[in-house]
Amino acid sequence: MVVTRTPVVFIHGAWLRASSWESWAERFARHGFRTFAPGWPGEGPAGGPPVVADVFGGVGLNVLTEHYAGVARSLDASPVLVGHSVGALVAQRLVGSDVGRAAVAIAPAPMGGVPLPAGVARLWTPPSPAAGPLLSLTARRFHRVLANTVEGPESDRLFARHAMPVPRGLLADLAAPAPKAVADAGKAARGPLLLVSGQEDRLVPDSVTRAVYKRYGDCTAVTDLKQFADRGHSLVIDGGWRSVADYVLTWLDEHGIRARSAG
């Protein structure tokens, strides 16, 4: 009997770097999983410049999805996909396309057809081409939009460590009516899916995640929803990240997805 460690691929979201998964990867590894947190195409390594602009600027939703599909398919076992924000939408697209054995979508970027409050829709609207191929957030806006549930000094630390720009083309793919921002919500032959929301999230409000959850209402595959009170979009990186990570670990175990499996 061969025992293999279950791989977990972490997919980060908009305005954050792959470093946003550092603590998660370490915690999952301690529980026996093999962890991978690759960056987006053109993303620089931790500690260096955030992006290679001429590569990163061309990243759209389909490019991002194919990038992580390639990562998942390169592994010797089907991985668990854990995504945040745009990464959560990518995780849903992949598990609905038979890539990955299970998916966790944390504060998922809006799926096409899911209505957004007007103020939120503006946050996902790309700037004009004259503004350049990348959109960055200031530390102040990062605090207001992503890290609104933590104090200023913590937000500033998170910004300095994890922030990076977003390609304008990617935002265009996500802006209403967002025909590219689709996932197969009716596929019955997929692995379990967990949707997670922060009830104080300003970038992906809890109401949006609940609307996405309802899109899966007619699907017979396992689809669960977990809401965290008093948490914002930074729930995967701020001081409360551990409670979210531990809930995900417990959920995986409850659905028979163990860190080690016999083959």
Side-chain angles (χ1 to χ4, degrees):
M1 181 177 66
V2 178
V3 177
T4 60
R5 295 172 64 199
T6 302
V8 179
V9 176
F10 294 100
I11 310 172
H12 73 80
W15 289 288
L16 295 176
R17 303 179 69 161
S19 59
S20 59
W21 291 119
E22 289 171 337
S23 297
W24 284 68
E26 180 181 351
R27 194 160 189 82
F28 274 60
R30 286 181 178 177
H31 281 76
F33 292 94
R34 284 187 296 147
T35 60
F36 304 86
W40 293 4
E43 180 179 342
V51 299
V52 179
D54 57 345
V55 176
F56 190 77
V59 172
L61 185 58
N62 287 341
V63 169
L64 203 56
T65 302
E66 285 305 310
H67 173 67
Y68 283 100
V71 172
R73 291 175 178 137
S74 72
L75 301 173
D76 58 4
S78 184
V80 175
L81 306 167
V82 180
H84 173 240
S85 183
V86 174
L89 176 57
V90 170
Q92 290 175 82
R93 299 182 93 199
L94 292 179
V95 79
S97 301
D98 298 319
V99 179
R101 62 186 299 177
V104 178
I106 303 170
M111 185 186 293
V114 173
L116 294 173
V120 175
R122 285 195 293 270
L123 296 174
W124 291 102
T125 300
S128 67
L134 304 178
L135 176 65
S136 298
L137 296 180
T138 63
R140 181 177 180 181
R141 189 166 177 80
F142 182 93
H143 186 200
R144 185 168 69 85
V145 175
L146 267 76
N148 55 291
T149 59
V150 304
E151 297 296 327
E154 181 179 359
S155 177
D156 289 344
R157 288 193 299 271
L158 296 174
F159 177 82
R161 177 61 180 163
H162 302 301
M164 76 172 190
V166 172
R168 185 176 64 84
L170 177 59
L171 292 179
D173 289 344
L174 297 170
K180 292 184 179 180
V182 295
D184 189 348
K187 188 177 183 68
R190 62 158 169 81
L193 168 66
L194 172 65
L195 298 166
V196 177
S197 70
Q199 292 186 315
E200 298 301 323
D201 194 329
R202 291 178 176 172
L203 190 60
V204 182
D206 172 66
S207 61
V208 172
T209 303
R210 285 188 282 111
V212 171
Y213 176 65
K214 290 179 181 178
R215 291 282 294 273
Y216 288 95
D218 294 329
C219 182
T220 57
V222 171
T223 309
D224 294 328
L225 172 67
K226 171 61 177 177
Q227 299 161 284
F228 284 88
D230 304 320
R231 302 301 303 279
H233 201 68
S234 64
L235 76 172
V236 298
I237 55 172
D238 61 34
W241 70 268
R242 190 175 287 101
S243 62
V244 185
D246 286 350
Y247 184 90
V248 172
L249 284 165
T250 299
W251 179 84
L252 290 171
D253 186 70
E254 289 174 348
H255 290 284
I257 301 172
R258 312 286 194 264
R260 291 175 172 82
S261 59

